[in-house]
Amino acid sequence: MIDFHCHLDLFKSPTKAAEEADAAGVYLLSVTTTPKAFLKTAQIGRNKKRIRTALGLHPQLVHERHKEVALFLRLISETKYVGEIGLDGGAASAAHMDLQKEVFEQILKGCRSAGGRVMSIHSRHASSDVIDALSHHRDAGIPILHWFSGSDANARRAVDLGAWFSVGLPMLKSRRASSLISILPRDRILTETDAPFAATGDAHYPAKALAETVRRLAILWKCEEAEVNLQLKRNLRTLGARVARFN
Ligand code: MN
């Protein structure tokens, strides 16, 4: 199974969550919300061959943490994966949109200078602006839109830009799931939990949520679960081959 957006460091016991994910055979992208958390979080996945750690600066924290961009740019050579980054247009964050855009811009430029990165991107209530920014920085790497909830039109724009998508249960349970999923190319989809946020509330790693995500994808794609698992595995391999070509 694949969990391409998980906040291991925010679990009650990150070590235990990492061990549970590892025992379940999950290929996991451990995203961070601040550059300061990166090195410590990378330690959690240190001895786990299926865990990768991403360097992030969460858009909802940008107004407090924007000075950490300098640290972000210093650390970018440490990993091929960046996230969680992006823009948030929700009520609490919209007031800081200009600053968010400035920081996102600096991060995208940093990714380009570093030779390209896989980027796990937040776009809640800001999908147009995120896609605009990505269209100006097509050489920043491979954008993976996490928990995409924008319009069908914006989904199509993102697809045209070459974006990938990580989808989780809340997205697949939404009313718009079937129209949205029909737009996203099957060979550019990965699964995610966004745990511990979107998870069941207990302290354990939610492997069951991933299995349920695969089950729902099978329904939407009108195919067997085994076929979904094969497709996801193929997608991860494709991504891995592209990552290997980054500097
Ligand atoms: Mn997240």
Side-chain angles (χ1 to χ4, degrees), residues 24 60-61 76 78-79 102 115-116 148 177 206-207 212:
Q60 290 171 330
L61 299 178
I76 202 164
E78 301 280 324
T79 175
E102 196 182 309
F148 185 82
E212 174 66 11

Side-chain angles (χ1 to χ4, degrees), residues 5-7 31 33 58 84 120 122 146-147 192 194-195 197:
H5 186 106
C6 178
H7 297 267
V31 296
T33 54
H58 197 292
E84 176 164 4
S120 184
H122 175 113
H146 126 77
W147 194 338
E192 67 164 42
D194 203 15
F197 294 121

Side-chain angles (χ1 to χ4, degrees), residues 49-128:
K49 64 175 191 292
R50 289 180 291 263
I51 296 181
R52 298 288 179 271
T53 307
L55 169 66
L57 180 44
H58 197 292
Q60 290 171 330
L61 299 178
V62 158
H63 65 289
E64 294 167 343
R65 303 292 194 129
H66 56 99
K67 291 203 174 109
E68 287 183 42
V69 169
L71 178 61
F72 188 106
L73 298 173
R74 278 205 301 280
L75 288 171
I76 202 164
S77 56
E78 301 280 324
T79 175
K80 307 284 184 218
Y81 301 87
V82 155
E84 176 164 4
I85 58 166
L87 300 173
D88 187 287
S93 308
H96 312 289
M97 188 49 87
D98 287 346
L99 185 59
Q100 288 188 58
K101 284 183 180 171
E102 196 182 309
V103 165
F104 190 36
E105 184 89 13
Q106 280 180 274
I107 289 175
L108 292 172
K109 282 181 182 162
C111 289
R112 184 196 55 202
S113 310
R117 291 292 180 266
V118 170
M119 304 173 286
S120 184
I121 300 177
H122 175 113
S123 59
R124 181 174 161 264
H125 299 312
S127 56
S128 287

Side-chain angles (χ1 to χ4, degrees), residues 228-246:
V228 175
N229 280 318
L230 258 178
Q231 180 69 58
L232 295 172
K233 217 169 160 183
R234 230 173 358 230
N235 296 350
L236 189 68
R237 212 180 303 133
T238 304
L239 193 70
R242 288 182 63 184
V243 171
R245 292 199 295 269
F246 289 158

Side-chain angles (χ1 to χ4, degrees), residues 189-202:
I189 286 187
L190 297 169
T191 45
E192 67 164 42
T193 62
D194 203 15
F197 294 121
T200 46
D202 69 33

Side-chain angles (χ1 to χ4, degrees), residues 176-193:
R176 297 189 38 237
S178 67
S179 86
L180 209 44
I181 287 295
S182 70
I183 294 167
L184 313 183
R186 290 188 190 189
D187 58 0
R188 280 193 245 151
I189 286 187
L190 297 169
T191 45
E192 67 164 42
T193 62

